[in-house]
């Protein structure tokens, strides 16, 4: 795709500002974007089928969904969009940026929240702000799918996980109290021991290695 | 033969005396030398001493002659030609001394740990070195010649492999590979840097004339010395860092470095050694190239050897199904072979062992039985620990030998300075480079700890001893310096690193146990990150890890794991299992407190009073305990069960267990509320809660609790049995089946219990002991409503009916003492029980006792019967106004009929899963259930949850009479 139209400089500058990527990274990602979309300016779900490595990912659909999730794209309503632009693509990927330690503390906290929100939405498929038992079961099902486990396993694990979540988040519950799902606040509590900023991170290249390889 | 008769005790006494002397001698007293000299006496020498017995000349054994000599007047049997006891010190000398040395070291460890104050301040390695110094001093003073030094061959062939294996096998592989880049960099580049800089700097010092002129060493000698002195030693690092709990990243970097730098050290050492041998003027350019190339050959070769052997080991462990008993042996043998092979072809043996342990672990652990796993773990730890102990002690002893080393203050001081300074510089430089790539940068504090953690140890010593004093003229100086550096690093740095870590506020390792949610999310992370890398089109770390995992799952695990193990193998599942065990233990924990607190009810007194129960009870208890053990062994041996059982069996097991433990619980207090549905729901809810919260415990726990609750159960069982006996319904043949079904139980359940338990302190175990009783207490506490309920009807029974049975008496007292409404329940129960008990059970106590004798059967019978009995009670109380006794007797009959109809596997499953089958209605539980639930931390009664659980069960059909049926089913299985 030698004829890939590079982005205009002003747009790159804009994107650098909004997404936090460097201009080199943006150019590389743009090339990748065009490669995936076959040169079209927008991306649809089918584009992700072009990635062979993604096929064996057990939670592929979830990840692809995240790219089209309105909430992740900064849109107010729930649901998904059909196509995303390059800017949307970058917005999603910016969730996986590495956070520099030299940012202000509030910024770091903000980024961390963003990342967690992203994860949370990945679990909360119906967008009601709660990870219900069913949703939990679904994802466990997907995670375990590769090991040919039975449905029972995943659901019993989901039960246990839900129970654990209820324990962590609510503590002693009243007898008639119901725990019907992990809210985002509960999610934060659950995840507080995981250093999300250190884990949820992908290295974005400043140099285009694919170009070199080719 | 009066003479022979006479000499026998004399000889025995003599032998004891000699043994004692030998022991004392090995302890370092002056007797040692005498003994050794005696042992080494030549026959001719001895003959002069016992010239009066010329016949002895024919015997060639000097030791025997010695005994003859000592025996003096008691002699006589030698002449006869037959000796009943011989003194054969020479024969056993070697192993005997080794054993005694290990014993001394181990005893020393006990001594050290007598005072916890000392060991918290002073690392064990330091203490051992001091001990070695002391012992060495004594030996030296006594023998006038140094004995028992750290022999390089012994060290590399016997002492080092266990330690390396231990560290490789128990290395957190994920952490290791996550930090692999950093570890590799520090190990390779760091060691090279340290060697060259230290060596050259020392040479510079030598040129500057700051060293004694007698230190005859050129650049090559110093480089050689630099190479051996610069390597961080795994033994020392483990010994010190184990006690300093720095965060795991820091630990794995220092530790990984110490393991992986072996290749570089060994290569540099060999290269410089041979160069020094050839002489610097004869070295050709090609030799340098070869030297550099050998670094790669040795390191990669060692790794390859390790991986190949790991593959072989994993493959073998796949087929040890029927020879469980030697499974652990394979692990050790093959790893040791890897070590020897690598040594043989002069590759890095440490790398070989490390990678062998690291790579095989996943598959071996999955394949071998839980018992073998425990054995492997313990044996490895024992071997490693004793090796470590011996190494440090021998280091201390070796240091005493002044003949081997020559002191030069300049060399020693500068070496200390350079090793420290250059390590610091190296660490800072490398960290600076690495921080450009690392997600979590290594900050200053980390770097300080890494610098400070650069301990030198026995490897350096062994290498320096191996030097050839012909070619390396300054060997004695190097030995002295090496010993000083080792002592300095191990003792001074070892002593101070703990305060330093505290002072610097280094992030400690937080020992929070993994939660299921965390594990889930981390797993999701991995996939998400890999996917994002795919989408971005950048093949980074996550990409390759994902690829590897995919490959592993698809091919390697298939090849190297048993089918059953492969199915079960999953991280999430592992965590799930572990959590269950943990919950069980915490439940026990909690229970322990509760029993001492306000929840101390019936069970408490019951325990105390039970201890005074009749002999028959005690007998029964011991009998059942034995049977438990037998059963465990049987199941482990049978081996096939694990293969036979698939995933859902495990699950069902888990579902089943709580219920088993439950019997005591709900059968006793679960007095029906009139409608079956409610009952079911409550069973379900309680079961869910209990399963997830607490007892989803392991077999092990169940066992221990079983043993403890044995009395109660037995009482009930016996009663039940007797009642049944009257109805002619003792199903012996069916018991058999029950047992066989249970065979699968321990295999799976124990899997994690033991693992987990190892890590638990004894305290937990002690608390575990209380489990059974506590459990009862809670159960009693759980449903006051029900109690009240039942009490209304049943209390009226006159106390006079209560038999002398201890059960009743115990039950009675506490209730009355504590709560108003409680007594009703218990007494009612006892009243119910008592008649049966009185009339039938106690009459036939002897016969029932006999039936209990055969272990597995009795064990299998106990619980189901108890359950059955209890369930019956529930139903009994459900049909309230009806007189109790008739119903009691009727029930077994109906139960038997029903069970024979449906005695199928499916029904078993159903019955096992029964607690999870919810009633059709999703509404909130009845008030009583709610009350019951109060004590559980997090009950959630959510429709979706309920329905989800319902879907768990394959057969959704639900009979109203399920509880009864299941109870009876169990009896008949």
């Amino acid at each position: 795709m030698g004829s890939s139209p590079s982005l205009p400089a002003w747009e790159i500058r804009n994107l650098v500002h909004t997404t936090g990527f460097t201009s080199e990274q943006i150019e590389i990602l743009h090339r990748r974007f065009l490669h995936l979309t076959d040169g079209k300016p927008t991306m649809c779900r089918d584009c992700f089928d072009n990635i062979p490595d993604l096929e064996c990912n057990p939670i592929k659909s979830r990840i692809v969904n995240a790219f089209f999730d309105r909430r992740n794209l900064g849109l107010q309503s729930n649901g998904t969009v059909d196509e995303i632009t390059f800017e949307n693509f970058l917005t999603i990927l910016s969730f996986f940026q590495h956070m520099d330690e030299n940012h202000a503390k509030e910024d770091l906290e903000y980024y961390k929240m963003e990342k967690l929100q992203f994860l949370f939405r990945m679990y909360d498929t119906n967008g009601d702000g709660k990870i219900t038992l069913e949703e939990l079961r679904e994802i466990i099902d997907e995670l375990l799918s590769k090991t040919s486990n039975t449905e029972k396993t995943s659901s019993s694990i989901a039960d246990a996980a839900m129970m654990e979540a209820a324990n962590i988040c609510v503590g002693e519950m009243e007898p008639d109290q119901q725990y019907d799902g992990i809210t985002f606040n509960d999610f934060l509590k659950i995840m507080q021991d995981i250093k999300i900023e250190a884990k949820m991170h992908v290295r974005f290249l400043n140099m285009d290695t694919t170009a070199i390889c080719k | 033969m009066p003479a022979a008769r006479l000499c026998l005790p004399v000889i025995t006494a003599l032998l004891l005396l000699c043994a004692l002397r030998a022991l004392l001698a090995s302890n370092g007293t002056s007797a040692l030398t005498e003994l050794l000299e005696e042992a080494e006496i030549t026959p001719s020498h001895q003959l002069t001493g016992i010239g009066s017995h010329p016949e002895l000349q024919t015997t060639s054994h000097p030791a025997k002659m010695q005994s003859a000599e000592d025996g003096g007047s008691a002699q006589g049997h030698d002449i006869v030609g037959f000796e009943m006891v011989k003194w054969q010190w020479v024969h056993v000398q070697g192993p005997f001394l080794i054993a005694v040395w290990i014993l001394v070291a181990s005893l020393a460890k006990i001594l050290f740990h007598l005072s916890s104050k000392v060991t918290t301040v002073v690392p064990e390695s330091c203490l051992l070195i001091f001990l070695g110094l002391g012992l060495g001093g004594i030996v030296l003073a006594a023998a006038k010649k140094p004995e028992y030094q750290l022999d390089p061959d012994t060290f590399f062939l016997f002492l080092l492999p266990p330690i390396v294996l231990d560290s490789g096998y128990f290395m957190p592989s994920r952490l290791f590979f996550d930090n692999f880049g950093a570890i590799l960099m520090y190990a390779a580049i760091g060691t090279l840097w340290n060697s060259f800089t230290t060596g050259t700097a020392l040479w510079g010092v030598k040129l500057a004339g700051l060293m004694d002129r007698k230190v005859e060493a050129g650049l090559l000698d110093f480089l050689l010395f630099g190479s051996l002195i610069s390597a961080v030693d795994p033994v020392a690092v483990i010994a010190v860092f184990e006690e300093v709990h720095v965060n795991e990243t820091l630990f794995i970097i220092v530790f990984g470095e110490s393991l992986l730098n072996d290749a570089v050290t060994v290569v540099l050492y060999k290269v410089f050694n041979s160069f020094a041998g050839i002489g610097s003027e004869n070295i050709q350019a090609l030799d340098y190239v070869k030297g550099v190339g050998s670094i790669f050959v040795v390191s990669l070769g060692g790794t390859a050897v390790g991986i190949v052997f790991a593959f072989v080991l994993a493959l073998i462990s796949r087929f040890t199904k029927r020879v469980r008993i030697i499974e652990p042996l394979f692990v050790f043998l093959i790893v040791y072979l890897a070590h020897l092979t690598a040594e043989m072809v002069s590759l890095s043996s440490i790398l070989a062992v490390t990678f062998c342990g690291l790579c095989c672990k996943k598959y071996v652990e999955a394949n071998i039985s839980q018992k073998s796993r425990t054995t492997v773990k313990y044996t490895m730890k024992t071997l490693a620990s004793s090796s470590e102990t011996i190494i440090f002690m021998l280091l201390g002893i070796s240091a005493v030998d002044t003949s081997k080393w020559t002191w030069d203050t300049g060399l020693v001081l500068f070496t200390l300075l350079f090793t420290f300074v250059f390590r610091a510089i190296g660490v800072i430089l490398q960290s600076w480079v690495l921080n450009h790539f690392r997600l979590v940068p290594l900050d200053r504090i980390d770097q300080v700890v890494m610098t400070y953690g650069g301990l030198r140890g026995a490897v350096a010593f062994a290498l320096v001893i191996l030097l050839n004093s012909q070619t390396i003229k300054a060997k004695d100086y190097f030995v002295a310096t090496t010993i000083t550096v080792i002592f300095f690093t191990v003792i001074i740095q070892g002593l101070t690193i703990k305060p330093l870590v505290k002072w610097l506020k280094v992030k400690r390792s937080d020992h929070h146990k993994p939660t299921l949610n965390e594990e889930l999310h981390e797993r999701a992370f991995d996939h998400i990150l890999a996917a994002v890398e795919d989408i971005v089109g950048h093949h980074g770390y996550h990409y390759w890890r994902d690829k590897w995992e995919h490959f592993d799952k698809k091919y390697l695990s298939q090849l190297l794991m048993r089918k059953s193990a492969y199915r079960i193998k999953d991280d999430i599942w592992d965590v799930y299992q572990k959590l269950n065990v943990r919950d069980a233990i915490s439940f026990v924990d909690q229970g322990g407190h509760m029993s001492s607190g306000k929840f101390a009810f019936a069970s408490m007194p019951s325990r105390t009073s039970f201890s005074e129960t009749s002999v028959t009870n005690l007998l029964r208890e011991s009998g059942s305990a034995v049977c438990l053990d037998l059963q465990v062994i049987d199941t482990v041996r049978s081996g096939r069960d694990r293969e036979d059982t698939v995933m859902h069996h495990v699950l069902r097991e888990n579902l089943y267990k709580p219920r088993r433990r439950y019997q005591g619980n709900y059968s006793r207090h679960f007095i029906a509320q009139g409608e079956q549905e409610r009952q079911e729901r409550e069973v379900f809810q309680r079961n869910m809660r209990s399963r997830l919260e607490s007892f989803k415990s392991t077999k092990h726990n169940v066992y221990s609790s079983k043993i403890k609750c044995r009395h109660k159960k037995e009482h009930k069982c016996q009663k039940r049995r007797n009642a049944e006996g009257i109805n002619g319904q003792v199903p012996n043949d069916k018991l058999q089946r029950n047992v066989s079904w249970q065979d699968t139980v321990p295999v799976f359940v124990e899997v994690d219990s033991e693992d987990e338990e190892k890590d638990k302190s004894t305290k937990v175990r002690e608390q575990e002991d209380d489990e059974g009783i506590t459990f009862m207490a809670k159960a009693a506490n759980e449903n006051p409503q029900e109690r009240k309920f039942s009490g209304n009807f049943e209390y009226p029974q006159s106390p006079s009916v209560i038999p002398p049975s201890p059960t009743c008496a115990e039950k009675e007292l506490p209730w009355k003492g504590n709560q108003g409404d409680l007594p009703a329940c218990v007494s009612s129960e006892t009243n119910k029980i008592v008649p049966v008990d009185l009339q039938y059970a106690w009459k036939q106590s002897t016969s029932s006792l006999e039936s209990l004798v055969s272990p597995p059967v009795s064990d299998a019978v106990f619980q189901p019967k108890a359950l059955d009995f209890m369930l019956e009670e529930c139903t009994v109380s459900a049909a309230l106004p009806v007189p109790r006794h008739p119903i009691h007797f009727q029930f077994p009959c109906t139960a038997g009929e029903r069970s024979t109809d449906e005695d199928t596997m499916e029904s078993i499953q159903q019955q096992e899963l029964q607690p999870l089958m919810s009633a059709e209605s999703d509404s909130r539980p009845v008030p009583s259930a709610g009350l019951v639930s109060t004590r559980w931390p997090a009950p959630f009664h959510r429709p979706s949850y309920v329905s989800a659980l319902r879907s768990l069960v394959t057969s959704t059909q639900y009979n109203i009479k399920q509880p009864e049926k299941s109870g009876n089913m169990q009896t008949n299985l």
Side-chain angles (χ1 to χ4, degrees), chain B residues 214-228:
Chain B
K214 279 181 244 163
V215 183
E216 292 176 51
L219 177 60
L220 269 181
D221 299 287
F222 278 117
L223 283 177
L224 173 60
F225 179 61
S227 74
L228 66 88

Side-chain angles (χ1 to χ4, degrees), chain A residues 15-200:
Chain A
L15 289 172
V16 167
H17 184 70
T18 51
T19 59
F21 285 108
T22 64
S23 53
E24 292 91 358
Q25 285 170 335
I26 289 176
E27 275 182 45
I28 294 165
L29 289 173
H30 188 237
R31 234 167 292 162
R32 178 71 185 170
F33 180 79
L34 291 177
H35 173 70
L36 291 176
T37 57
D38 279 333
K40 281 187 285 251
T42 54
M43 194 181 225
C44 55
R45 274 161 205 275
D46 297 339
C47 296
F48 286 97
D49 295 334
N50 298 336
I51 308 167
D53 297 321
L54 210 56
E55 283 308 314
C56 57
N57 202 315
I59 53 172
K60 178 198 168 190
S61 64
R62 224 166 254 277
I63 292 158
V64 172
N65 252 341
F67 276 84
F68 297 93
D69 197 317
R70 283 169 166 272
R71 293 169 293 174
N72 289 337
L73 297 172
L75 303 169
Q76 287 307 310
S77 53
N78 284 338
T80 56
V81 293
D82 293 331
E83 289 189 326
I84 52 168
T85 62
F86 178 60
E87 193 180 347
N88 298 143
F89 184 68
L90 276 190
T91 312
I92 301 294
L93 289 181
S94 67
F95 284 110
F96 295 94
Q97 266 182 319
H98 178 46
M99 293 180 288
D100 268 334
E101 294 284 315
N102 45 27
H103 276 296
K105 209 173 179 190
E106 301 85 64
D107 279 355
L108 285 178
E109 201 57 32
Y110 173 74
Y111 286 138
K112 188 177 170 180
M113 279 304 160
E114 286 286 294
K115 281 174 190 249
L116 285 169
Q117 281 278 8
F118 180 82
L119 269 184
F120 183 76
R121 286 169 198 151
M122 201 171 263
Y123 295 121
D124 179 24
T125 39
N126 64 3
D128 63 351
K130 273 176 187 164
I131 303 173
T132 57
L133 189 76
E134 258 109 47
E135 283 164 344
L136 201 61
R137 268 188 64 205
E138 271 168 38
I139 189 147
I140 291 169
D141 253 346
E142 285 169 26
L143 286 176
L144 290 177
S145 64
K146 292 283 168 176
T147 43
S148 72
N149 275 302
T150 57
E151 192 183 315
K152 287 173 193 169
T153 321
S154 63
S155 55
S156 72
I157 289 174
D159 298 342
M162 200 65 170
M163 186 61 89
E164 190 186 87
N167 238 337
I168 292 170
C169 305
V170 188
E172 294 284 330
M173 289 180 85
E174 294 302 311
D176 52 349
Q177 197 174 343
Q178 294 188 8
Y179 190 73
D180 34 40
I182 302 167
T183 62
F184 184 64
N185 278 334
D186 294 347
F187 191 68
L188 288 184
K189 276 185 205 157
I190 293 165
M191 302 291 273
Q192 64 187 354
D193 282 331
I194 297 181
K195 283 187 191 142
I196 182 97
E197 63 274 22
K199 285 217 164 100
M200 194 168 147

